[in-house]
Amino acid sequence: MFEFLFKRPADKSDTPAGKSVQASPNPAPAAAQTSALRAQQAEKVAALAGDEAAAVEFILQSDFSELRLAAAEHVHSAAALERVHAAMRNTDRRVAKLMQSRLDALRHHLAELARGQACIEQAQTLLKDEKLSPNQVADLDRRWSVIAAPELAAQFDAIRAQLAQRLEAQMSLQRAMIDSLTALRALGSSELRAAELAERLEQMAQAHAAALAAPEHGSLPRSLTNEFASEHARLSASLGALEQGQSAVIARETALAEWRATPPGAFNQDQLKKAWQQLPPAPKDAGADLQQRFEVLLASLPAAVPSAHKPKEARKNAPAQAPDQHVIDTLDAMEAALQQGSLGSAADMDKILKDSKGTRLTPAMADRLAHARAELKRLSDWARWGGNVSREELIKAVEQLTTQKLAMSELAKKVGSMRERWKSLDTLSGAAPKSLWERFDAACSAAYAPAAAHFKHLADERHTNAAKAQALIAEAALETAKLAEGESVDWKHMAATVQRMRLAWSHLGAIDRKEKKRLDHEFTDALNTLQAPLEQQRKNEVAERESMIAQVGALDAHDRHALDTLRSLQERWQEHARAVPLERKSEQALWQKFRAACDAVFARRKESANAADAERRSHQEAKDAISARLEHAAGEPGAAAHAAKLLRDAAAEWNTIGAVPRANEAKVEKRYHAAIGALQHHVDAAKRDASRAQASALRDKLRLCQELEAQVAAGGVDADSADSTGWAARWSALPALDASYERTLKARFDAALAARGEGRAAFAALLEKNRAPLLHEILRLEIGAGIDSGSEFARERLKLQVETLQSSLKSGQKPGNQAARFLQLCATPALVDDRTASRIEHLFTRIAKDGK
């Protein structure tokens, strides 16, 4: 309770900027000087008006933190910020934090400008690149979207607009090239005349050259330009053939028109045929129509009668007789076959006519028959010659098969087709010479030899595959026999065996068709017999798995043993999966259901944990609010008055709040205790201030009493009212003390003040009388407090120590005896010298420390 008596050396001073001044009995002048200095510096802050250099100098010299903070608003450049931050880092936390935040913002802005400049440089590089792609521009846009640099926005937007124009030009150029290629393809199937087609091709070639010379020609796909060039070259190459074909069509149409306009009888069939064959050949599509029109015209003209093949006598003497209709039809068919070039049909018709010997022909029919047989002989000779030429070509083609790298099946087909063509030549042009036939047969045999070896190898493989299939069937039967003997079944081995046999059967390869069906049936029966127990076991296993899924679904997620049960079920699932593997599809389906059920349990637990976390976070918010309230109270000037109640309420409320998140528990507790410590420190500071004020007041009032008593004893004090008023005013000017000390010293002061006049001598005698008891009491208090009394009091001190020890052994020393004696010391009026006053003040200091 005596902590107010003396100010401790470790206590901080209230003077600005930590400057120390000597304590003054009257603090009013110092406070006025501080206020004047603050006002003067505030005027300097108001006059800064954005002057950064003056603001920096003011901050470095000012003693007031709020004025330094106001001046810091005018500091913005990097050098000034660095200078102020370095000076205020350990002096003014708020100014240093403001400078640091502005430095960070400035550095961030510079970094954004650097990134923006790099992005603009990339955009300029893309603008100069001949092969600009949309992906590069998209990457550029993504980079710019995260950059905050308004100063560079206009420059970037201008370059970006140019890039957009380039991309638009590229798209237009590519679209035009695609349209040109489409038009070029359509032009190839059009029915334009050669001149018009050549003109259109020239226009397209010029447009293509302009596209290749465009600034964005590098964006054109190479495949597109190559395809256009090849298609244009193909159409240009076909112009000559198209022009010839169109000329031939025009020539034939002109000839048909002239022949129709000619009177009947001017031409016969042979003349028209010769003239028609001399015309240039027409294209296939138009030639078929023209040929049909020519045949119609030809049918309307009379046929030429060759008179050289019929004797004149026979023509004169031949009776006019109508031929048989069958002979006429046969002759017509023979002529038609000759006209179509079908020598085999014509030879058959000639054979029929030769067999009809009883039929007499008219001269006209005989001439027709003779002409047809002569034509047949001529064409047969040509066919025989052409057939031998074709056979030579066929032999060469077969001999070349050995040099070609063909697949065996294709080689066999080609050799077979060559033999069929040889047979067809025999039918059309007669039998071939034996030498040609031997050459052809030897060439076919040599060409077919690799295919024959290949097919023989395939046949051997089919026989081998059949033997493997039989071995698999025997293995399945052996496994079935072991199962029938009642041996313990390893279901995993059984499933692996079935799977292995199925896989081996599917990889057997080709087997002869006549054995494939039988082997498949036998293997299916053996495998079904072997697999029947496995399928039954799998059904039981599926039921067991379904049961485990149901158990997982029935788990209570909030049960403390739920996770242990879930882990045990998962282990059981793995054991069953290893013991009896199911079909892959069923295994996957059941596993998905089991996993979904487990995930549902974990999800419910997670929801519960999230709810608990939310509750803990709300608890943390409530506790942070308590800490914030205490922190706010610690900064209020008058918080010491109600600090005790605030701490009690905060502690009661803190204890009623539940747990907070474990990760933040230490931080929350630390903040709470720090807030309590700050508030308690504030209260203690207030108590120390009050104690210092009380100690100063007690010292001043005690000295006033001693001064008044000394003057009364010396006779220098008058009893007039003016003098009394002055002493009373001096007493009233001093702060009030605690009740006990105020009452004790007031009584002593009033007694000294009342002793002026008639009672002065008696009071002076009392003061002199109390000098020795006062010294004795001071000595006793020094012994109790452990204070050295000086060498002049050594004898008396030793004697008093012995008495004090004896008294303590008899009755013991009661707590608070020192404070009571000190109060009694203050109440005793006595004359004191400077040495005694110094001892009393020293005693005050020690008793104040011991009373804490």
Side-chain angles (χ1 to χ4, degrees):
M1 61 179 291
F2 296 99
E3 63 271 18
F4 59 86
L5 293 177
F6 269 90
K7 177 182 176 182
R8 292 181 295 174
D11 292 339
K12 293 183 179 179
S13 174
D14 295 333
T15 57
K19 292 184 179 181
S20 61
V21 297
Q22 294 182 352
S24 175
N26 190 2
Q33 183 180 2
T34 302
S35 299
L37 182 60
R38 183 189 301 272
Q40 182 182 2
Q41 293 189 5
E43 292 177 359
K44 291 183 179 180
V45 172
L48 289 175
D51 189 353
E52 187 178 55
V56 171
E57 295 299 331
F58 178 83
I59 293 171
L60 298 181
Q61 296 176 4
S62 178
D63 297 331
F64 301 98
S65 60
E66 65 275 9
L67 297 181
R68 289 197 298 267
L69 184 62
E73 296 296 332
H74 302 282
V75 181
H76 298 284
S77 65
L81 290 172
E82 289 284 356
R83 183 181 176 189
V84 174
H85 179 265
M88 295 289 108
R89 183 170 53 190
N90 298 325
T91 304
D92 195 330
R93 188 174 182 181
R94 292 188 298 172
V95 174
K97 188 175 181 180
L98 178 61
M99 298 297 104
Q100 184 63 52
S101 63
R102 289 186 179 177
L103 282 172
D104 293 341
L106 186 60
R107 294 190 185 103
H108 177 71
H109 183 64
L110 293 176
E112 289 294 309
L113 289 178
R115 292 173 59 194
Q117 191 62 39
C119 196
I120 289 175
E121 291 176 358
Q122 182 185 1
Q124 293 174 347
T125 303
L126 291 180
L127 192 60
K128 298 176 182 177
D129 192 359
E130 294 181 358
K131 296 183 179 180
L132 178 65
S133 67
N135 292 335
Q136 294 174 332
V137 179
D139 293 338
L140 179 66
D141 291 339
R142 282 194 293 270
R143 287 189 58 188
W144 181 258
S145 63
V146 297
I147 296 175
E151 301 90 337
L152 304 176
Q155 184 178 0
F156 178 81
D157 292 341
I159 300 176
R160 181 61 180 82
Q162 296 178 11
L163 291 174
Q165 293 176 359
R166 284 195 59 187
L167 290 178
E168 185 68 24
Q170 288 182 3
M171 185 179 67
S172 301
L173 186 62
Q174 293 174 5
R175 184 70 263 173
M177 180 57 68
I178 294 174
D179 294 341
S180 300
L181 181 60
T182 304
L184 187 63
R185 290 171 177 169
L187 195 63
S189 58
S190 64
E191 297 181 357
L192 295 176
R193 302 190 64 82
E196 296 179 0
L197 182 61
E199 183 179 359
R200 293 289 299 276
L201 287 176
E202 181 63 24
Q203 294 175 358
M204 289 187 175
Q206 293 176 0
H208 182 66
L212 293 180
E216 302 297 335
H217 70 278
S219 63
L220 291 174
R222 189 178 298 274
S223 59
L224 195 63
T225 56
N226 292 341
E227 189 173 359
F228 183 90
S230 62
E231 185 69 17
H232 189 276
R234 184 184 67 81
L235 291 178
S236 299
S238 64
L239 278 177
L242 180 62
E243 187 174 1
Q244 293 178 1
Q246 291 178 353
S247 301
V249 169
I250 292 173
R252 287 178 180 260
E253 287 180 349
T254 304
L256 286 175
E258 292 177 356
W259 290 340
R260 287 195 186 96
T262 303
F267 298 101
N268 57 26
Q269 292 182 357
D270 291 339
Q271 293 174 344
L272 288 184
K273 286 181 181 179
K274 292 179 181 179
W276 184 260
Q277 291 177 359
Q278 292 175 358
L279 292 174
K284 184 176 182 181
D285 296 338
D289 181 57
L290 292 173
Q291 183 68 29
Q292 184 177 5
R293 290 164 59 188
F294 173 74
E295 289 177 355
V296 172
L297 177 63
L298 190 66
S300 62
L301 297 176
V305 180
S307 59
H309 297 285
K310 295 184 178 181
K312 295 180 179 180
E313 295 82 2
R315 288 196 299 269
K316 292 179 180 180
N317 298 328
Q321 183 178 357
D324 185 66
Q325 186 64 35
H326 176 68
V327 175
I328 295 174
D329 294 339
T330 305
L331 181 58
D332 292 340
M334 181 177 177
E335 290 177 346
L338 290 173
Q339 184 69 27
Q340 296 176 0
S342 179
L343 297 182
S345 299
D348 293 339
M349 297 299 105
D350 184 43
K351 185 178 180 181
I352 293 173
L353 290 175
K354 287 180 180 180
D355 293 339
S356 302
K357 296 180 180 180
T359 303
R360 297 183 62 183
L361 301 177
T362 61
M365 292 292 292
D367 290 341
R368 288 178 59 192
L369 180 60
H371 176 71
R373 285 175 176 171
E375 185 69 15
L376 176 61
K377 182 177 183 303
R378 185 180 68 82
L379 293 178
S380 297
D381 294 339
W382 277 106
R384 187 175 297 106
W385 177 82
N388 291 335
V389 172
S390 299
R391 288 187 180 94
E392 291 286 348
E393 296 294 332
L394 194 59
I395 291 171
K396 291 181 181 180
V398 173
E399 290 175 346
Q400 290 177 357
L401 289 178
T402 56
T403 62
Q404 299 177 4
K405 297 181 180 179
L406 301 175
M408 295 297 105
S409 57
E410 186 178 357
L411 179 61
K413 290 180 181 179
K414 282 189 174 292
V415 172
S417 65
M418 295 294 183
R419 290 187 179 276
E420 292 296 330
R421 287 176 61 185
W422 185 278
K423 291 180 182 178
S424 65
L425 287 176
D426 287 346
T427 303
L428 295 175
S429 56
K434 183 177 180 181
S435 59
L436 287 177
W437 162 248
E438 291 177 350
R439 285 178 57 196
F440 176 73
D441 185 61
C444 287
S445 299
Y448 187 74
H454 174 70
F455 293 140
K456 183 177 182 301
H457 176 68
L458 292 181
D460 295 339
E461 283 188 351
R462 287 195 292 272
H463 290 300
T464 304
N465 293 336
K468 292 180 180 179
Q470 197 65 46
L472 286 175
I473 294 172
E475 183 181 359
L478 180 60
E479 293 290 339
T480 304
K482 290 181 181 179
L483 188 62
E485 292 176 359
E487 297 181 359
S488 59
V489 181
D490 184 356
W491 299 111
K492 182 177 181 180
H493 173 71
M494 175 71 72
T497 301
V498 171
Q499 182 66 22
R500 177 179 56 79
M501 294 177 70
R502 284 184 182 277
L503 188 63
W505 188 269
S506 64
H507 292 169
L508 275 179
I511 302 177
D512 289 338
R513 186 175 299 177
K514 60 182 179 181
E515 297 182 3
K516 177 67 174 175
K517 186 175 182 180
R518 175 183 62 81
L519 293 174
D520 284 339
H521 182 70
E522 291 181 2
F523 179 75
T524 302
D525 292 342
L527 198 62
N528 290 338
T529 304
L530 177 62
Q531 199 174 0
L534 177 61
E535 292 299 327
Q536 183 61 38
Q537 185 64 26
R538 282 178 170 173
K539 290 181 181 179
N540 298 336
E541 183 63 24
V542 169
E544 182 65 22
R545 304 276 183 92
E546 293 286 354
S547 174
M548 284 191 282
I549 294 172
Q551 293 179 27
V552 173
L555 284 177
D556 183 8
H558 304 291
D559 187 5
R560 59 182 298 182
H561 302 295
L563 290 181
D564 295 336
T565 306
L566 187 60
R567 291 192 186 95
S568 64
L569 287 172
Q570 290 175 342
E571 292 174 358
R572 281 181 55 198
W573 185 281
Q574 296 298 331
E575 292 175 358
H576 281 266
R578 287 191 294 268
V580 184
L582 304 177
E583 292 288 344
R584 182 175 181 81
K585 186 176 181 180
S586 301
E587 184 78 40
Q588 290 292 333
L590 289 172
W591 168 247
Q592 292 296 335
K593 291 174 63 177
F594 180 75
R595 183 177 179 181
C598 294
D599 291 342
V601 174
F602 284 115
R604 292 195 296 270
R605 288 184 65 85
K606 186 176 181 180
E607 291 177 359
S608 178
N610 290 337
D613 290 342
E615 183 179 3
R616 291 190 183 96
R617 286 193 295 271
S618 64
H619 292 166
Q620 180 181 351
E621 292 175 358
K623 289 191 175 183
D624 286 340
I626 295 174
S627 301
R629 190 165 64 247
L630 293 177
E631 290 169 354
H632 179 71
E636 293 181 353
H642 55 278
K645 182 178 181 303
L646 184 61
L647 289 173
R648 287 195 303 272
D649 295 343
E653 186 179 354
W654 184 275
N655 293 329
T656 57
I657 299 175
V660 301
R662 186 172 298 176
N664 301 331
E665 185 175 1
K667 182 177 69 176
V668 173
E669 290 287 342
K670 182 178 179 181
R671 181 182 179 186
Y672 173 67
H673 290 299
I676 291 177
L679 182 58
Q680 189 64 44
H681 177 73
H682 183 69
V683 173
D684 293 343
K687 287 183 178 180
R688 284 194 301 271
D689 293 341
S691 298
R692 284 194 294 270
Q694 288 289 314
S696 178
L698 176 60
R699 185 168 51 250
D700 292 342
K701 287 192 174 183
L702 185 58
R703 289 177 179 176
L704 185 61
C705 291
Q706 292 172 354
E707 182 182 354
L708 180 58
E709 289 170 352
Q711 289 187 4
V712 170
V717 178
D718 296 333
D720 56 355
S721 59
D723 188 50
S724 300
T725 303
W727 285 100
R730 290 180 62 186
W731 179 269
S732 300
L734 295 176
L737 303 176
D738 289 343
S740 57
Y741 284 93
E742 181 70 21
R743 184 171 54 254
T744 301
L745 291 178
K746 180 62 175 173
R748 180 176 174 179
F749 178 77
D750 292 341
L753 193 63
R756 296 175 303 166
E758 297 179 356
R760 183 181 63 81
F763 187 73
L766 179 62
L767 293 176
E768 186 63 31
K769 180 182 177 181
N770 289 338
R771 182 192 296 267
L774 179 64
L775 293 176
H776 182 76
E777 189 62 27
I778 290 175
L779 187 59
R780 184 183 295 276
L781 289 174
E782 286 176 344
I783 293 172
I787 300 175
D788 186 16
S789 302
S791 58
E792 64 271 22
F793 301 102
R795 184 181 297 276
E796 295 180 8
R797 180 183 177 93
L798 180 59
K799 181 180 178 180
L800 189 57
Q801 284 179 342
V802 174
E803 293 177 359
T804 302
L805 180 58
Q806 291 175 355
S807 176
S808 298
L809 292 175
K810 290 179 180 181
S811 59
Q813 188 174 358
K814 297 180 180 179
N817 192 25
Q818 294 285 342
R821 288 182 177 180
F822 179 74
L823 182 60
Q824 183 63 33
L825 180 67
C826 293
T828 304
L831 294 175
V832 296
D833 53 6
D834 292 339
R835 170 63 176 161
T836 303
S838 177
R839 289 174 65 191
I840 291 174
E841 290 183 1
H842 194 194
L843 188 61
F844 286 171
T845 304
R846 178 57 61 87
I847 293 176
K849 291 182 178 179
D850 294 341
K852 291 181 181 179

